[in-house]
Amino acid sequence: MQQGMLYEESALPANGAHELKMWRVFHVAQWVFIVLAAGAVFLSMLLVPSMFEAYNKDHNLSALIFTLVTWFGGLGSLVLIAVLFWRLKLRRNVSFDYNFVEDELRVSKVFNGRKRKFLHRIAADHILKIGYCDRPSFEDTARPFDKKSIKYLTPNYEPSEGKFFFYILYSDSIGKRLYIIETREMMLEYLVRATGRNKFERQ
């Protein structure tokens, strides 16, 4: 494998149109509640002083506490709902970029085709095993791992046309990890060349 050789691929959501639509829905809903929360903050600057003025007149502490808790509880709810829609948005229209360069696989998560977040650098000399996810060797390799600890670096439950799910058993100073990627067989060839064919499980 020559240093500097580069191969790039992306795992895009199979139902991309639906994912983009849902992303837009959550994006609009997020900003609606952000605007409402901002409006509530502005009103607070006007209303809170009047609440204390009413307290100075009747000295009803319980009424003041109830009013403040109700008002700021509503404001907090608007903020929490905006955060909820933001988190839901982040789960929609997600893809993964794979870049193989200098004997390592670099994986990034892409949000709505724009914002990228680097996730993993998988060095070839730390790879213990590579194989197809639809072969018996995957079941044997995945058995020691909890399902939640397996890192699925793909947005899909099934591979897209012309692609396959491959597993990579990786080990470094942190411990062993199991990665699942969705690529064409060309990526597998690059990985096998870099790691050695003795790391490739055909069955």
Side-chain angles (χ1 to χ4, degrees), residues 16-199:
H18 175 72
E19 288 292 305
L20 178 59
K21 180 180 179 180
M22 294 305 300
W23 184 93
R24 288 172 175 168
V25 169
F26 291 135
H27 181 70
V28 171
Q30 167 199 334
W31 278 103
V32 166
F33 281 93
I34 288 176
V35 171
L36 291 174
V41 170
F42 176 75
L43 287 176
S44 297
M45 298 172 64
L46 302 176
L47 297 178
V48 170
S50 64
M51 296 177 189
F52 282 95
E53 289 177 5
Y55 169 72
N56 290 332
K57 291 180 179 179
D58 56 27
H59 299 284
N60 190 339
L61 181 60
S62 60
L64 175 64
I65 293 175
F66 176 79
T67 303
L68 290 174
V69 169
T70 301
W71 179 260
F72 286 103
L75 173 59
S77 297
L78 292 175
V79 174
L80 288 175
I81 294 172
V83 171
L84 173 63
F85 280 120
W86 171 71
R87 291 180 65 87
L88 289 172
K89 182 182 72 172
L90 290 181
R91 297 181 182 181
R92 294 292 184 171
N93 203 30
V94 172
S95 59
F96 290 83
D97 282 352
Y98 312 114
N99 293 275
F100 190 88
V101 59
E102 297 181 352
D103 289 352
E104 68 178 21
L105 178 64
R106 301 169 187 174
V107 183
S108 298
K109 193 173 185 178
V110 183
F111 302 92
N112 197 40
R114 298 177 183 176
K115 185 178 179 181
R116 295 169 58 88
K117 178 183 179 182
F118 178 78
L119 294 181
H120 303 289
R121 178 177 283 108
I122 305 173
D125 56 354
H126 288 287
I127 293 176
L128 302 179
K129 192 189 300 185
I130 307 170
Y132 294 88
C133 289
D134 60 353
R135 305 286 172 84
S137 64
F138 173 68
E139 296 180 6
D140 296 335
T141 304
R143 191 170 292 117
F145 293 87
D146 181 84
K147 288 185 178 181
K148 292 183 179 180
S149 66
I150 299 176
K151 299 182 181 299
Y152 286 87
L153 306 179
T154 171
N156 300 315
Y157 294 103
E158 295 182 358
S160 302
E161 184 177 356
K163 295 186 177 183
F164 301 86
F165 281 167
F166 300 110
Y167 70 85
I168 299 174
L169 181 61
Y170 189 79
S171 179
D172 57 14
S173 58
I174 299 176
K176 289 184 178 180
R177 296 185 291 281
L178 187 60
Y179 298 107
I180 308 298
I181 62 174
E182 178 194 356
T183 70
R184 296 179 176 84
E185 287 191 317
M186 179 63 73
M187 180 64 78
L188 177 64
E189 293 181 13
Y190 275 77
L191 289 168
V192 171
R193 288 181 197 173
T195 60
R197 296 199 173 274
N198 60 317
K199 304 289 182 67

